[in-house]
Amino acid sequence: CILGDPQDAWPTLNARYMRSFLHEILMSASNWLLFEHESIQHEQRREFLHRVLKAQEEERLRVSRELHDTIAQDLAAHRLKIERYLATTKDPDMSDKFREIEKNAQDMLVSLRQILIDLRPSILDSMGFLPALQWYLERLNRNQFIRGSLSIEGIEVELAHEARVTLFRIFQECLQNVIVHSKADHAMVSVNFKAKGLELVVEDDGVGFDFAATQKQRLDTKDGHGLGILGMQERAALLGGTFSLESAQGQGTVIKVWIPEGEAHDQKRT
């Protein structure tokens, strides 16, 4: 076997080594650029979400203030006038009519105040995410006679502001669907704190619906059902999360929202 002169093989080995070395440099540079690109996209998504949620919450606050300062005040004033008329009238028939009108005004005022609370639930800021869910479920039981339960799994962590607001708005939309569409007796909510993120599950024992058919017609705004689902999907996507819905006629509805750790947990903004 003739091996040949080792000096003749050196240029070939040197070329291979250089190619391998350059390949490693290019791969490292590519990985670094990809990481930088993903980091930039991640931060841009968080900044976009922050601005969207801020604009939405500011608009809700503005509408809430306008309703409080106009319609709510007018209803309260009309109710006081009716009470004064009721106190001065001596006609039994007119008294009955005034009492009926006064009750209607009071019912409208209560309904309006509930809307104002939904627009800007201060408990979310003052007490936190989980107490706000519990409070909302208790109100659901009290006002709609739908029994709600909240279960928590895992070790609770402080949620980022964006995640807290987004998940609460999804939760609100879920319960609104339960009230309007489901004819349910129970609403079961669970919050699962996991190592890689957070899962919110809202389940009811209502009549259910044909989800596939709703998906095809979700832009039909006659009942708003499809648009509500689309809104929840978009909110979850803004947090880099996923949204799933399972439902069938007569089998209730289960909605699951998953938010990854980097978006769910509280962290300082850079």
Side-chain angles (χ1 to χ4, degrees), residues 127-163:
M127 298 187 66
F129 179 63
L130 295 178
L133 299 188
Q134 184 62 50
W135 168 81
Y136 211 93
L137 288 170
E138 290 173 359
R139 198 186 76 166
L140 179 73
N141 188 11
R142 184 172 59 251
N143 296 343
Q144 305 295 335
F145 306 104
I146 299 174
R147 281 179 286 177
S149 63
L150 175 65
S151 64
I152 303 165
E153 297 182 13
I155 300 174
E156 182 183 355
V157 297
E158 184 70 20
L159 296 177
H161 173 74
E162 290 85 354

mmCIF file of all heavy atoms in Angstrom, residues 127-163:
data_model
loop_
_atom_site.group_PDB
_atom_site.id
_atom_site.type_symbol
_atom_site.label_atom_id
_atom_site.label_comp_id
_atom_site.label_asym_id
_atom_site.label_seq_id
_atom_site.Cartn_x
_atom_site.Cartn_y
_atom_site.Cartn_z
ATOM 1 N N MET A 127 -57.638 43.928 43.766
ATOM 2 C CA MET A 127 -57.487 42.652 44.466
ATOM 3 C C MET A 127 -56.748 41.593 43.667
ATOM 4 O O MET A 127 -56.263 40.611 44.230
ATOM 5 C CB MET A 127 -58.861 42.124 44.885
ATOM 6 C CG MET A 127 -59.594 43.023 45.851
ATOM 7 S SD MET A 127 -61.126 42.289 46.474
ATOM 8 C CE MET A 127 -60.478 40.916 47.430
ATOM 9 N N GLY A 128 -56.681 41.751 42.341
ATOM 10 C CA GLY A 128 -55.935 40.787 41.550
ATOM 11 C C GLY A 128 -56.816 39.893 40.690
ATOM 12 O O GLY A 128 -58.050 39.955 40.733
ATOM 13 N N PHE A 129 -56.155 39.045 39.920
ATOM 14 C CA PHE A 129 -56.828 38.234 38.898
ATOM 15 C C PHE A 129 -57.780 37.204 39.492
ATOM 16 O O PHE A 129 -58.974 37.165 39.162
ATOM 17 C CB PHE A 129 -55.758 37.551 38.041
ATOM 18 C CG PHE A 129 -56.309 36.658 36.962
ATOM 19 C CD1 PHE A 129 -57.077 37.180 35.943
ATOM 20 C CD2 PHE A 129 -56.055 35.289 36.984
ATOM 21 C CE1 PHE A 129 -57.587 36.355 34.935
ATOM 22 C CE2 PHE A 129 -56.556 34.465 35.995
ATOM 23 C CZ PHE A 129 -57.320 34.998 34.975
ATOM 24 N N LEU A 130 -57.298 36.356 40.377
ATOM 25 C CA LEU A 130 -58.122 35.273 40.921
ATOM 26 C C LEU A 130 -59.306 35.785 41.748
ATOM 27 O O LEU A 130 -60.433 35.290 41.575
ATOM 28 C CB LEU A 130 -57.259 34.312 41.736
ATOM 29 C CG LEU A 130 -56.200 33.538 40.938
ATOM 30 C CD1 LEU A 130 -55.377 32.658 41.869
ATOM 31 C CD2 LEU A 130 -56.842 32.695 39.843
ATOM 32 N N PRO A 131 -59.125 36.763 42.654
ATOM 33 C CA PRO A 131 -60.295 37.303 43.360
ATOM 34 C C PRO A 131 -61.332 37.918 42.426
ATOM 35 O O PRO A 131 -62.532 37.843 42.697
ATOM 36 C CB PRO A 131 -59.685 38.369 44.282
ATOM 37 C CG PRO A 131 -58.287 37.916 44.491
ATOM 38 C CD PRO A 131 -57.865 37.310 43.189
ATOM 39 N N ALA A 132 -60.869 38.512 41.312
ATOM 40 C CA ALA A 132 -61.801 39.091 40.348
ATOM 41 C C ALA A 132 -62.646 37.999 39.693
ATOM 42 O O ALA A 132 -63.853 38.167 39.483
ATOM 43 C CB ALA A 132 -61.040 39.883 39.283
ATOM 44 N N LEU A 133 -62.020 36.857 39.379
ATOM 45 C CA LEU A 133 -62.775 35.738 38.819
ATOM 46 C C LEU A 133 -63.822 35.234 39.818
ATOM 47 O O LEU A 133 -64.979 34.979 39.452
ATOM 48 C CB LEU A 133 -61.829 34.592 38.443
ATOM 49 C CG LEU A 133 -60.741 34.851 37.393
ATOM 50 C CD1 LEU A 133 -60.063 33.541 37.024
ATOM 51 C CD2 LEU A 133 -61.290 35.536 36.162
ATOM 52 N N GLN A 134 -63.410 35.079 41.073
ATOM 53 C CA GLN A 134 -64.324 34.586 42.100
ATOM 54 C C GLN A 134 -65.494 35.543 42.300
ATOM 55 O O GLN A 134 -66.655 35.126 42.406
ATOM 56 C CB GLN A 134 -63.561 34.393 43.415
ATOM 57 C CG GLN A 134 -64.398 33.797 44.540
ATOM 58 C CD GLN A 134 -64.898 32.405 44.207
ATOM 59 O OE1 GLN A 134 -64.129 31.543 43.787
ATOM 60 N NE2 GLN A 134 -66.200 32.186 44.370
ATOM 61 N N TRP A 135 -65.189 36.840 42.354
ATOM 62 C CA TRP A 135 -66.237 37.849 42.508
ATOM 63 C C TRP A 135 -67.225 37.794 41.359
ATOM 64 O O TRP A 135 -68.444 37.857 41.553
ATOM 65 C CB TRP A 135 -65.598 39.230 42.598
ATOM 66 C CG TRP A 135 -66.579 40.362 42.473
ATOM 67 C CD1 TRP A 135 -67.397 40.874 43.441
ATOM 68 C CD2 TRP A 135 -66.843 41.127 41.286
ATOM 69 N NE1 TRP A 135 -68.148 41.903 42.938
ATOM 70 C CE2 TRP A 135 -67.833 42.079 41.623
ATOM 71 C CE3 TRP A 135 -66.343 41.092 39.985
ATOM 72 C CZ2 TRP A 135 -68.329 42.987 40.694
ATOM 73 C CZ3 TRP A 135 -66.829 41.997 39.054
ATOM 74 C CH2 TRP A 135 -67.817 42.939 39.421
ATOM 75 N N TYR A 136 -66.719 37.641 40.137
ATOM 76 C CA TYR A 136 -67.575 37.608 38.951
ATOM 77 C C TYR A 136 -68.479 36.378 38.971
ATOM 78 O O TYR A 136 -69.664 36.449 38.614
ATOM 79 C CB TYR A 136 -66.707 37.607 37.699
ATOM 80 C CG TYR A 136 -67.337 38.287 36.507
ATOM 81 C CD1 TYR A 136 -67.091 39.634 36.246
ATOM 82 C CD2 TYR A 136 -68.170 37.588 35.641
ATOM 83 C CE1 TYR A 136 -67.667 40.270 35.155
ATOM 84 C CE2 TYR A 136 -68.753 38.214 34.554
ATOM 85 C CZ TYR A 136 -68.499 39.549 34.314
ATOM 86 O OH TYR A 136 -69.084 40.172 33.240
ATOM 87 N N LEU A 137 -67.944 35.242 39.401
ATOM 88 C CA LEU A 137 -68.742 34.018 39.474
ATOM 89 C C LEU A 137 -69.824 34.133 40.548
ATOM 90 O O LEU A 137 -70.943 33.626 40.374
ATOM 91 C CB LEU A 137 -67.833 32.821 39.760
ATOM 92 C CG LEU A 137 -66.936 32.388 38.598
ATOM 93 C CD1 LEU A 137 -65.913 31.359 39.067
ATOM 94 C CD2 LEU A 137 -67.766 31.816 37.445
ATOM 95 N N GLU A 138 -69.499 34.774 41.656
ATOM 96 C CA GLU A 138 -70.502 34.989 42.699
ATOM 97 C C GLU A 138 -71.625 35.890 42.191
ATOM 98 O O GLU A 138 -72.801 35.675 42.501
ATOM 99 C CB GLU A 138 -69.846 35.603 43.934
ATOM 100 C CG GLU A 138 -68.930 34.632 44.668
ATOM 101 C CD GLU A 138 -68.148 35.289 45.785
ATOM 102 O OE1 GLU A 138 -68.305 36.521 45.985
ATOM 103 O OE2 GLU A 138 -67.369 34.590 46.460
ATOM 104 N N ARG A 139 -71.272 36.893 41.416
ATOM 105 C CA ARG A 139 -72.294 37.767 40.839
ATOM 106 C C ARG A 139 -73.142 37.015 39.820
ATOM 107 O O ARG A 139 -74.356 37.222 39.722
ATOM 108 C CB ARG A 139 -71.629 38.985 40.169
ATOM 109 C CG ARG A 139 -72.595 40.129 39.938
ATOM 110 C CD ARG A 139 -71.964 41.242 39.167
ATOM 111 N NE ARG A 139 -71.847 40.928 37.754
ATOM 112 C CZ ARG A 139 -71.572 41.828 36.808
ATOM 113 N NH1 ARG A 139 -71.372 43.082 37.152
ATOM 114 N NH2 ARG A 139 -71.469 41.482 35.551
ATOM 115 N N LEU A 140 -72.504 36.101 39.065
ATOM 116 C CA LEU A 140 -73.234 35.272 38.112
ATOM 117 C C LEU A 140 -74.295 34.445 38.836
ATOM 118 O O LEU A 140 -75.433 34.323 38.370
ATOM 119 C CB LEU A 140 -72.250 34.349 37.380
ATOM 120 C CG LEU A 140 -72.838 33.389 36.351
ATOM 121 C CD1 LEU A 140 -73.264 34.144 35.097
ATOM 122 C CD2 LEU A 140 -71.823 32.307 35.988
ATOM 123 N N ASN A 141 -73.920 33.896 39.966
ATOM 124 C CA ASN A 141 -74.861 33.093 40.758
ATOM 125 C C ASN A 141 -75.986 33.957 41.315
ATOM 126 O O ASN A 141 -77.164 33.576 41.295
ATOM 127 C CB ASN A 141 -74.093 32.406 41.897
ATOM 128 C CG ASN A 141 -74.952 31.412 42.654
ATOM 129 O OD1 ASN A 141 -76.049 31.063 42.234
ATOM 130 N ND2 ASN A 141 -74.449 30.959 43.784
ATOM 131 N N ARG A 142 -75.628 35.137 41.791
ATOM 132 C CA ARG A 142 -76.595 36.024 42.430
ATOM 133 C C ARG A 142 -77.582 36.628 41.428
ATOM 134 O O ARG A 142 -78.786 36.699 41.705
ATOM 135 C CB ARG A 142 -75.844 37.136 43.167
ATOM 136 C CG ARG A 142 -76.737 38.078 43.956
ATOM 137 C CD ARG A 142 -75.904 39.031 44.799
ATOM 138 N NE ARG A 142 -74.992 39.840 43.991
ATOM 139 C CZ ARG A 142 -73.678 39.687 43.961
ATOM 140 N NH1 ARG A 142 -73.099 38.719 44.671
ATOM 141 N NH2 ARG A 142 -72.908 40.476 43.220
ATOM 142 N N ASN A 143 -77.091 37.030 40.267
ATOM 143 C CA ASN A 143 -77.935 37.756 39.312
ATOM 144 C C ASN A 143 -78.566 36.869 38.249
ATOM 145 O O ASN A 143 -79.673 37.149 37.771
ATOM 146 C CB ASN A 143 -77.120 38.850 38.611
ATOM 147 C CG ASN A 143 -76.649 39.920 39.577
ATOM 148 O OD1 ASN A 143 -77.161 40.034 40.694
ATOM 149 N ND2 ASN A 143 -75.671 40.704 39.166
ATOM 150 N N GLN A 144 -77.860 35.807 37.846
ATOM 151 C CA GLN A 144 -78.339 34.967 36.753
ATOM 152 C C GLN A 144 -78.756 33.570 37.212
ATOM 153 O O GLN A 144 -79.217 32.777 36.392
ATOM 154 C CB GLN A 144 -77.244 34.834 35.672
ATOM 155 C CG GLN A 144 -76.730 36.151 35.133
ATOM 156 C CD GLN A 144 -77.793 36.927 34.383
ATOM 157 O OE1 GLN A 144 -78.752 36.350 33.851
ATOM 158 N NE2 GLN A 144 -77.643 38.252 34.340
ATOM 159 N N PHE A 145 -78.553 33.282 38.488
ATOM 160 C CA PHE A 145 -78.887 31.966 39.051
ATOM 161 C C PHE A 145 -78.165 30.824 38.336
ATOM 162 O O PHE A 145 -78.701 29.736 38.169
ATOM 163 C CB PHE A 145 -80.409 31.740 39.022
ATOM 164 C CG PHE A 145 -81.191 32.837 39.688
ATOM 165 C CD1 PHE A 145 -81.870 33.785 38.925
ATOM 166 C CD2 PHE A 145 -81.208 32.960 41.062
ATOM 167 C CE1 PHE A 145 -82.582 34.803 39.539
ATOM 168 C CE2 PHE A 145 -81.912 33.986 41.687
ATOM 169 C CZ PHE A 145 -82.595 34.916 40.920
ATOM 170 N N ILE A 146 -76.957 31.112 37.908
ATOM 171 C CA ILE A 146 -76.077 30.095 37.336
ATOM 172 C C ILE A 146 -74.944 29.874 38.331
ATOM 173 O O ILE A 146 -74.190 30.797 38.637
ATOM 174 C CB ILE A 146 -75.509 30.542 35.974
ATOM 175 C CG1 ILE A 146 -76.644 30.773 34.981
ATOM 176 C CG2 ILE A 146 -74.525 29.502 35.434
ATOM 177 C CD1 ILE A 146 -76.186 31.360 33.658
ATOM 178 N N ARG A 147 -74.837 28.675 38.848
ATOM 179 C CA ARG A 147 -73.821 28.394 39.860
ATOM 180 C C ARG A 147 -72.439 28.316 39.229
ATOM 181 O O ARG A 147 -72.231 27.580 38.265
ATOM 182 C CB ARG A 147 -74.151 27.100 40.590
ATOM 183 C CG ARG A 147 -75.236 27.258 41.652
ATOM 184 C CD ARG A 147 -75.549 25.954 42.327
ATOM 185 N NE ARG A 147 -76.312 25.083 41.447
ATOM 186 C CZ ARG A 147 -76.688 23.838 41.763
ATOM 187 N NH1 ARG A 147 -76.329 23.321 42.928
ATOM 188 N NH2 ARG A 147 -77.384 23.115 40.924
ATOM 189 N N GLY A 148 -71.533 29.084 39.766
ATOM 190 C CA GLY A 148 -70.165 29.103 39.254
ATOM 191 C C GLY A 148 -69.189 28.569 40.275
ATOM 192 O O GLY A 148 -69.366 28.768 41.481
ATOM 193 N N SER A 149 -68.157 27.897 39.803
ATOM 194 C CA SER A 149 -67.120 27.383 40.696
ATOM 195 C C SER A 149 -65.758 27.701 40.104
ATOM 196 O O SER A 149 -65.580 27.720 38.884
ATOM 197 C CB SER A 149 -67.266 25.873 40.899
ATOM 198 O OG SER A 149 -67.089 25.183 39.669
ATOM 199 N N LEU A 150 -64.796 27.953 40.989
ATOM 200 C CA LEU A 150 -63.432 28.271 40.571
ATOM 201 C C LEU A 150 -62.469 27.296 41.240
ATOM 202 O O LEU A 150 -62.486 27.148 42.468
ATOM 203 C CB LEU A 150 -63.076 29.705 40.957
ATOM 204 C CG LEU A 150 -61.631 30.142 40.698
ATOM 205 C CD1 LEU A 150 -61.324 30.141 39.215
ATOM 206 C CD2 LEU A 150 -61.374 31.525 41.307
ATOM 207 N N SER A 151 -61.654 26.636 40.439
ATOM 208 C CA SER A 151 -60.614 25.756 40.973
ATOM 209 C C SER A 151 -59.261 26.239 40.481
ATOM 210 O O SER A 151 -59.138 26.729 39.357
ATOM 211 C CB SER A 151 -60.844 24.303 40.544
ATOM 212 O OG SER A 151 -60.741 24.164 39.134
ATOM 213 N N ILE A 152 -58.261 26.100 41.334
ATOM 214 C CA ILE A 152 -56.908 26.578 41.035
ATOM 215 C C ILE A 152 -55.939 25.420 41.214
ATOM 216 O O ILE A 152 -55.972 24.728 42.246
ATOM 217 C CB ILE A 152 -56.520 27.749 41.948
ATOM 218 C CG1 ILE A 152 -57.549 28.880 41.810
ATOM 219 C CG2 ILE A 152 -55.117 28.248 41.628
ATOM 220 C CD1 ILE A 152 -57.467 29.905 42.904
ATOM 221 N N GLU A 153 -55.099 25.211 40.234
ATOM 222 C CA GLU A 153 -54.100 24.154 40.299
ATOM 223 C C GLU A 153 -52.710 24.760 40.119
ATOM 224 O O GLU A 153 -52.533 25.724 39.379
ATOM 225 C CB GLU A 153 -54.351 23.099 39.214
ATOM 226 C CG GLU A 153 -55.681 22.360 39.356
ATOM 227 C CD GLU A 153 -55.864 21.309 38.295
ATOM 228 O OE1 GLU A 153 -54.873 20.975 37.603
ATOM 229 O OE2 GLU A 153 -56.995 20.805 38.146
ATOM 230 N N GLY A 154 -51.740 24.170 40.800
ATOM 231 C CA GLY A 154 -50.376 24.659 40.699
ATOM 232 C C GLY A 154 -50.109 25.806 41.659
ATOM 233 O O GLY A 154 -50.977 26.230 42.435
ATOM 234 N N ILE A 155 -48.908 26.318 41.586
ATOM 235 C CA ILE A 155 -48.481 27.413 42.456
ATOM 236 C C ILE A 155 -48.759 28.742 41.757
ATOM 237 O O ILE A 155 -48.261 29.001 40.658
ATOM 238 C CB ILE A 155 -46.979 27.293 42.781
ATOM 239 C CG1 ILE A 155 -46.705 25.956 43.495
ATOM 240 C CG2 ILE A 155 -46.523 28.464 43.648
ATOM 241 C CD1 ILE A 155 -45.240 25.694 43.734
ATOM 242 N N GLU A 156 -49.560 29.568 42.405
ATOM 243 C CA GLU A 156 -49.933 30.850 41.803
ATOM 244 C C GLU A 156 -48.717 31.745 41.625
ATOM 245 O O GLU A 156 -47.864 31.844 42.501
ATOM 246 C CB GLU A 156 -50.960 31.559 42.672
ATOM 247 C CG GLU A 156 -51.429 32.883 42.100
ATOM 248 C CD GLU A 156 -52.393 33.614 43.006
ATOM 249 O OE1 GLU A 156 -52.774 33.047 44.042
ATOM 250 O OE2 GLU A 156 -52.740 34.766 42.688
ATOM 251 N N VAL A 157 -48.647 32.390 40.465
ATOM 252 C CA VAL A 157 -47.598 33.357 40.180
ATOM 253 C C VAL A 157 -48.246 34.677 39.788
ATOM 254 O O VAL A 157 -49.395 34.710 39.337
ATOM 255 C CB VAL A 157 -46.661 32.875 39.046
ATOM 256 C CG1 VAL A 157 -45.931 31.613 39.438
ATOM 257 C CG2 VAL A 157 -47.442 32.658 37.751
ATOM 258 N N GLU A 158 -47.514 35.756 39.984
ATOM 259 C CA GLU A 158 -47.998 37.083 39.600
ATOM 260 C C GLU A 158 -48.040 37.177 38.085
ATOM 261 O O GLU A 158 -47.053 36.912 37.403
ATOM 262 C CB GLU A 158 -47.089 38.164 40.165
ATOM 263 C CG GLU A 158 -47.569 39.583 39.884
ATOM 264 C CD GLU A 158 -48.821 39.950 40.655
ATOM 265 O OE1 GLU A 158 -49.103 39.275 41.664
ATOM 266 O OE2 GLU A 158 -49.506 40.895 40.250
ATOM 267 N N LEU A 159 -49.209 37.548 37.556
ATOM 268 C CA LEU A 159 -49.369 37.653 36.113
ATOM 269 C C LEU A 159 -48.966 39.034 35.623
ATOM 270 O O LEU A 159 -49.157 40.039 36.325
ATOM 271 C CB LEU A 159 -50.819 37.384 35.711
ATOM 272 C CG LEU A 159 -51.375 35.986 35.984
ATOM 273 C CD1 LEU A 159 -52.845 35.921 35.584
ATOM 274 C CD2 LEU A 159 -50.578 34.929 35.246
ATOM 275 N N ALA A 160 -48.424 39.080 34.424
ATOM 276 C CA ALA A 160 -48.141 40.357 33.786
ATOM 277 C C ALA A 160 -49.455 41.112 33.565
ATOM 278 O O ALA A 160 -50.516 40.495 33.418
ATOM 279 C CB ALA A 160 -47.418 40.138 32.463
ATOM 280 N N HIS A 161 -49.380 42.418 33.540
ATOM 281 C CA HIS A 161 -50.590 43.238 33.391
ATOM 282 C C HIS A 161 -51.358 42.858 32.125
ATOM 283 O O HIS A 161 -52.583 42.692 32.153
ATOM 284 C CB HIS A 161 -50.210 44.716 33.345
ATOM 285 C CG HIS A 161 -51.370 45.615 33.030
ATOM 286 N ND1 HIS A 161 -52.363 45.908 33.944
ATOM 287 C CD2 HIS A 161 -51.709 46.269 31.877
ATOM 288 C CE1 HIS A 161 -53.256 46.710 33.379
ATOM 289 N NE2 HIS A 161 -52.881 46.942 32.139
ATOM 290 N N GLU A 162 -50.648 42.708 30.999
ATOM 291 C CA GLU A 162 -51.298 42.374 29.739
ATOM 292 C C GLU A 162 -52.012 41.031 29.822
ATOM 293 O O GLU A 162 -53.140 40.876 29.347
ATOM 294 C CB GLU A 162 -50.283 42.360 28.594
ATOM 295 C CG GLU A 162 -49.745 43.731 28.191
ATOM 296 C CD GLU A 162 -48.568 44.157 29.056
ATOM 297 O OE1 GLU A 162 -48.252 43.426 30.038
ATOM 298 O OE2 GLU A 162 -47.970 45.204 28.765
ATOM 299 N N ALA A 163 -51.345 40.052 30.433
ATOM 300 C CA ALA A 163 -51.948 38.724 30.565
ATOM 301 C C ALA A 163 -53.165 38.767 31.474
ATOM 302 O O ALA A 163 -54.200 38.139 31.198
ATOM 303 C CB ALA A 163 -50.917 37.731 31.100
#
